[in-house]
Amino acid sequence: MAFRLSSGDVTGFKVLFSMAIMYGLMAVLVYSIVHMHFITPLGIDAPLDRFSEGRALQHLRVLSQEIGSRQEGSPGLKEAARYIKAQLEVLKERVGSNIRIEIEETVVDGSFNMIFLGYSISLGYRNHTNIIMRISSVNSQETDPSVLLNGHFDSPLGSPGAGDCGSCVASMLEMARLTVDSGWVPPRPIIFLFNGAEELFLLGAHGFMKTHKWSDTIGAFINIEASGTGGLDLVCQSGPGSWPSLVYAQSAVYPMAHSAAQDVFPVIPGDTDYRIFAEDYGDIPGLDIIFLLGGYFYHTSYDTMERLLPGSIQARGENLLSITRAFANSSKLRNAHERESFKVAANEPKDERAVFFDYLSWFMIFYSRRAAVVLHTIPIAIFLLMPFLLFVLNIGKHTWFSTFCDFFKGLLLHAIGVVLAVVVPIVFAILRLLFSNHAMSWFARPYLAFMMFIPCSLVGVLIPRVVWRSVPLTHGVSRLQASKEGLSDDPRFWGVFGFYALLTLAYQVAGLSGGFLTFSLSVSMLAAWISFHFAVKLFDCQSLRSAMCYVLPLIPCITYSVYFGGFLAQFLIEKMGMMGSVPPPYGYFIPDIIVAAVVGLVTSWCVGPLIPICGHWLARSSILKFLLQLSVLALALSSQFFPYSIAAPKRVVFQHTFLTADASRVVGSSYDFSVVDSNSLPFLFKHAPEVAKELNMGSELSFKATKDSPRQTWMVIYPVSFLFSGSLKFPARSDDMLKHYSSFPHLAAYKPHTLYDGGSRRVHLEFYLGS
């Protein structure tokens, strides 16, 4: 029997494919922006008054290739400190007579307590090295307020640290050279802090703030970090107050910032030196700027120069130069004593954060929290007043209250559509995992996640549109009559508008800074409503030309939604490989459920503004069937792909553990393995049988006799070990340990403990680190 489509179905498919082309072009644009294709990096022969990525890479090559790993206590860290200091000394030798350069190598000691990932940790440290350079005019005073640039040159365990954070140090060295060679005389001192101990609980920054004479002079700081190998250099934290983000908005050459990041960052299991400077010990206004893409290689041996995204360091350097100059020229730059004096007279509260976001890294939009209170309330006010206004103008065909009820019904149905846009992809993700032998098939190929979950998410969005046809409006107004009115009193439009207006208000009431997302959607929908209102006077309200007049004003906002949502999904997918493993059986499903939910949510807010116009064309059984078949095909196709690749490796945590009875006797030895995603160790040994062979596990790969490795075993990375589950312990030989170690760490009581009233006691311990 031939398959026939009605004229309405044909029009619906035309609309669907037109939308696919439009969103596809937006995705190509966003991909090129996020991966820095629009930046042309300058080579080593660039003019001396320009920041050059090529010159920065020369420093990075020394740090990450010639020196290599730079963990605290390793020879590589000391060699890196010598290299950095030598480069700064070269700059000092050729500086002009109107600039003063001071260089110090400081060794810091100290102790403090911090809450990290919910755990209270007490830290004591000594002999950590910081390299510090202060550039100032010859007329500057020791107490003049200064601008601090901070980056750390130590690297994570087992990593050459090209991205994290050799790229930061290389950028700072090139920035220091540019300051000297450009002839710019800083009106306020610029301090470069090359921090030698960030990976170990931010010790280097703490040592600087507690011991250095210049710490009280800092009036603003820029902390540069890396959670990947390039891409958008996003402002993830800003404060205290809104001044740092305002300076960034006014001066960044390639702005990459949005205030919503500050709502999300506290949830991420990690921290940066920003907390030392701005929160715990400094209360200094500043910015936390972080490379976020390339998270596949973060804290691994794959974090090499070859993985860096070209153009990333160039954009970072040009931004750093412009922002540093803006801070140095600002009248609000104050040292610690001046900040304390002006604190009482300050106009804005200390914790007042502004609302800001970049548009495709082309320009910044910035407004204060007080302005946001007014602006973000306007959409909900319009939604509530519109039924009464329509009644007064005699546009509506029934009372203002019944019109409001229809509007609220439209809001409720769109909210259900958003929920279904999340739930339906989750159901498909779970069904795929029930028939697949591995999770995270999208990990190495993020496009698979979009192929799998966008079509079924659209199904979820459209289901309420199908139901809408069978839900009568108040006083029995027919759908035909409502459609002839255009969008003036159409509950389809005002329901979607009211949904975004209500979310904008909820963001504001919650004190969050991400309300600009839904606010911009609301404003764009009003512009589209006005455009459509004029279009229906020229064309029929059901014509495609009228629909185009509605869509065109929405394109800038939808493009931004694709930009924001696409970057969020990409970042999340990369981080799913290191976000921890939950015990089976539920842990197997969690990453796929999270990614499906996020893609569904992103799809709903990218497509939502078009639903009032396009929904009646798309909400057809033929289109829903097509989308469901496309989802099933994508799910089946994705199951054929292996989750990992050379460009997206699986993280395996390996530890050789040996137990000692005293300083020279080994009583036990084991190999401990763990993973930090949902594909467990049996998956690892199945696809890497050479590892199983090395451990003498046998051909059957039986884990029944294998012992669990408890979290207490992984004290070297405490408290990050809370991400581990299903860790296994395998026996290892211990007879050759003494060949590698002359003595072992040893803990002993060196005098009897002291008892106190109330049951407490003081224990006197001696801890010897061994070789």
Side-chain angles (χ1 to χ4, degrees):
M1 187 170 82
F3 180 68
R4 296 180 180 273
L5 294 175
S6 66
S7 60
D9 292 333
V10 172
T11 303
F13 276 103
K14 287 181 180 179
V15 172
L16 179 65
F17 293 142
S18 298
M19 289 174 58
I21 292 172
M22 181 182 74
Y23 283 102
L25 292 174
M26 292 178 181
V28 171
L29 172 64
V30 167
Y31 183 88
S32 67
I33 292 172
V34 168
H35 289 81
M36 315 306 288
H37 292 171
F38 64 99
I39 302 290
T40 301
L42 299 183
I44 58 175
D45 56 349
L48 294 179
D49 61 348
R50 295 287 305 278
F51 185 96
S52 163
E53 179 173 311
R55 286 189 284 258
L57 289 178
Q58 289 182 314
H59 298 302
L60 184 56
R61 186 171 293 106
V62 174
L63 292 169
S64 64
Q65 293 183 352
E66 298 179 18
I67 296 176
S69 297
R70 305 177 303 281
Q71 291 81 39
E72 181 58 55
S74 69
L77 190 70
K78 295 180 180 179
E79 190 174 347
R82 287 194 295 268
Y83 174 80
I84 293 169
K85 188 176 181 181
Q87 294 300 309
L88 299 180
E89 294 288 356
V90 171
L91 295 178
K92 185 177 181 179
E93 291 176 0
R94 69 168 189 258
V95 72
S97 59
N98 55 348
I99 293 180
R100 179 193 302 128
I101 289 185
E102 302 163 83
I103 300 172
E104 294 186 5
E105 179 177 350
T106 63
V107 178
V108 295
D109 311 308
S111 61
F112 65 105
N113 180 268
M114 72 184 304
I115 303 297
F116 181 68
L117 302 179
Y119 295 85
S120 178
I121 303 175
S122 296
L123 300 160
Y125 62 94
R126 64 180 182 180
N127 297 337
H128 291 293
T129 301
N130 290 332
I131 308 296
I132 307 162
M133 180 175 73
R134 185 175 186 260
I135 302 179
S136 60
S137 69
V138 292
N139 299 320
S140 67
Q141 304 297 316
E142 192 73 13
T143 58
D144 284 351
S146 57
V147 180
L148 173 73
L149 273 70
N150 175 71
H152 67 92
F153 62 91
D154 62 321
S155 67
L157 192 65
S159 173
D164 182 24
C165 206
S167 64
C168 310
V169 174
S171 300
M172 289 171 61
L173 288 172
E174 172 63 5
M175 175 72 179
R177 181 211 61 79
L178 180 58
T179 304
V180 171
D181 290 345
S182 65
W184 175 58
V185 180
R188 313 283 180 80
I190 311 296
I191 298 175
F192 292 81
L193 172 57
F194 298 89
N195 175 341
E198 189 270 350
E199 300 292 352
L200 292 177
F201 298 101
L202 323 178
L203 302 182
H206 176 268
F208 173 81
M209 289 302 299
K210 298 301 290 185
T211 65
H212 203 277
K213 61 183 179 180
W214 291 332
S215 62
D216 286 339
T217 70
I218 299 170
F221 74 91
I222 304 171
N223 180 58
I224 52 177
E225 257 289 3
S227 183
T229 55
L232 295 183
D233 201 18
L234 194 71
V235 175
C236 292
Q237 299 182 92
S238 170
S242 60
W243 173 60
S245 52
L246 175 61
V247 171
Y248 182 90
Q250 293 173 336
S251 59
V253 180
Y254 304 105
M256 307 170 199
H258 53 75
S259 49
Q262 299 181 111
D263 301 334
V264 178
F265 192 84
V267 181
I268 298 174
D271 235 324
T272 71
D273 287 327
Y274 174 90
R275 78 174 277 181
I276 298 293
F277 299 126
E279 298 171 356
D280 293 354
Y281 294 95
D283 197 30
I284 304 170
L287 302 167
D288 198 19
I289 306 179
I290 307 177
F291 280 158
L292 290 181
L293 285 190
Y296 293 124
F297 318 113
Y298 174 64
H299 281 201
T300 72
S301 57
Y302 287 86
D303 185 8
T304 60
M305 268 190 65
E306 293 74 25
R307 304 288 182 184
L308 291 176
L309 290 176
S312 301
I313 292 179
Q314 185 68 42
R316 163 176 277 181
E318 294 186 29
N319 278 349
L320 277 179
L321 176 64
S322 182
I323 300 165
T324 302
R325 289 182 172 180
F327 273 131
N329 287 311
S330 175
S331 61
K332 293 186 177 181
L333 190 72
R334 304 184 180 102
N335 60 32
H337 175 71
E338 292 170 340
R339 281 198 306 274
E340 194 66 30
S341 301
F342 281 95
K343 186 177 293 185
V344 177
N347 291 327
E348 67 174 19
K350 170 189 167 182
D351 59 348
E352 179 174 307
R353 295 188 302 181
V355 177
F356 54 90
F357 60 96
D358 71 282
Y359 187 80
L360 309 182
S361 76
W362 295 344
F363 58 87
M364 284 278 290
I365 296 175
F366 177 98
Y367 49 96
S368 68
R369 174 71 64 176
R370 295 172 186 174
V373 171
V374 177
L375 292 174
H376 291 186
T377 309
I378 292 175
I380 195 67
I382 293 175
F383 175 73
L384 295 175
L385 291 175
M386 187 55 68
F388 181 75
L389 181 62
L390 293 174
F391 176 75
V392 171
L393 297 176
N394 199 29
I395 296 178
K397 299 303 181 183
H398 39 79
T399 67
W400 71 267
F401 181 75
S402 56
T403 301
F404 175 78
C405 291
D406 284 343
F407 285 9
F408 185 77
K409 190 182 297 182
L411 186 155
L412 186 61
L413 283 175
H414 186 71
I416 294 173
V418 172
V419 172
L420 290 176
V422 175
V423 171
V424 174
I426 289 176
V427 171
F428 272 76
I430 294 174
L431 290 176
R432 188 195 75 83
L433 291 176
L434 293 176
F435 297 97
S436 177
N437 57 3
H438 58 259
M440 299 171 58
S441 60
W442 35 259
F443 181 66
R445 301 167 184 84
Y447 61 85
L448 290 177
F450 299 105
M451 288 175 55
M452 286 190 290
F453 301 131
I454 287 179
C456 54
S457 176
L458 282 174
V459 172
V461 172
L462 293 173
I463 287 175
R465 299 294 121 187
V466 177
V467 176
W468 182 269
R469 296 175 177 176
S470 61
V471 178
L473 297 179
T474 307
H475 289 180
V477 179
S478 69
R479 172 56 40 222
L480 179 61
Q481 179 182 348
S483 66
K484 288 180 179 179
E485 301 295 336
L487 291 182
S488 294
D489 62 343
D490 191 342
R492 297 173 301 178
F493 172 83
W494 291 109
V496 177
F497 175 85
F499 177 79
Y500 293 126
L502 191 61
L503 278 183
T504 303
L505 181 65
Y507 267 108
Q508 188 66 37
V509 172
L512 301 176
S513 302
F516 64 86
L517 288 167
T518 49
F519 174 72
S520 60
L521 287 172
S522 302
V523 172
S524 297
M525 287 189 70
L526 283 177
W529 176 73
I530 295 172
S531 174
F532 186 84
H533 182 73
F534 286 109
V536 295
K537 296 180 187 234
L538 301 174
F539 316 108
D540 180 64
C541 66
Q542 293 289 313
S543 72
L544 291 177
R545 286 178 291 183
S546 296
M548 285 298 298
C549 292
Y550 176 85
V551 171
L552 285 175
L554 285 170
I555 286 178
C557 182
I558 293 175
T559 303
Y560 181 79
S561 297
V562 173
Y563 169 69
F564 184 93
F567 176 76
L568 175 63
Q570 176 74 33
F571 172 76
L572 183 70
I573 287 171
E574 292 181 358
K575 292 301 181 185
M576 280 293 106
M578 58 176 294
M579 294 302 286
S581 57
V582 177
Y586 306 110
Y588 180 65
F589 297 90
I590 287 179
D592 281 80
I593 288 175
I594 292 175
V595 170
V598 169
V599 173
L601 187 63
V602 169
T603 302
S604 69
W605 91 51
C606 289
V607 176
L610 300 183
I611 292 300
I613 285 295
C614 302
H616 71 280
W617 283 311
L618 298 178
R620 296 178 174 273
S621 59
S622 58
I623 290 181
L624 295 183
K625 290 177 183 177
F626 171 76
L627 292 173
L628 288 173
Q629 291 169 354
L630 194 62
S631 298
V632 172
L633 179 63
L635 290 170
L637 179 65
S638 68
S639 297
Q640 306 306 310
F641 287 92
F642 193 67
Y644 309 101
S645 67
I646 293 177
K650 179 177 177 62
R651 293 172 184 264
V652 179
V653 188
F654 169 76
Q655 178 176 278
H656 188 184
T657 308
F658 53 96
L659 305 177
T660 59
D662 51 42
S664 60
R665 188 161 58 95
V666 179
V667 297
S669 180
S670 65
Y671 293 133
D672 296 271
F673 276 91
S674 189
V675 294
V676 286
D677 64 27
S678 60
N679 288 313
S680 61
L681 282 171
F683 171 89
L684 168 69
F685 293 126
K686 175 183 178 181
H687 293 281
E690 61 274 16
V691 179
K693 181 179 178 181
E694 190 70 25
L695 295 172
N696 299 316
M697 288 182 57
S699 58
E700 296 183 0
L701 302 177
S702 174
F703 293 89
K704 294 181 180 179
T706 305
K707 295 181 179 179
D708 290 336
S709 177
R711 289 177 178 174
Q712 293 82 354
T713 304
W714 302 88
M715 295 305 296
V716 69
I717 51 175
Y718 174 86
V720 180
S721 53
F722 85 95
L723 296 172
F724 297 176
S725 68
S727 305
L728 297 177
K729 182 186 296 290
F730 301 92
R733 293 180 58 183
S734 59
D735 54 1
D736 59 346
M737 280 294 171
L738 293 175
K739 297 178 182 177
H740 300 283
Y741 297 92
S742 58
S743 59
F744 299 106
H746 181 56
L747 180 69
Y750 66 90
K751 67 179 180 178
H753 63 261
T754 305
L755 292 175
Y756 295 95
D757 295 339
S760 62
R761 62 174 178 161
R762 172 175 292 175
V763 181
H764 304 269
L765 298 174
E766 181 180 63
F767 183 40
Y768 173 64
L769 289 176
S771 175

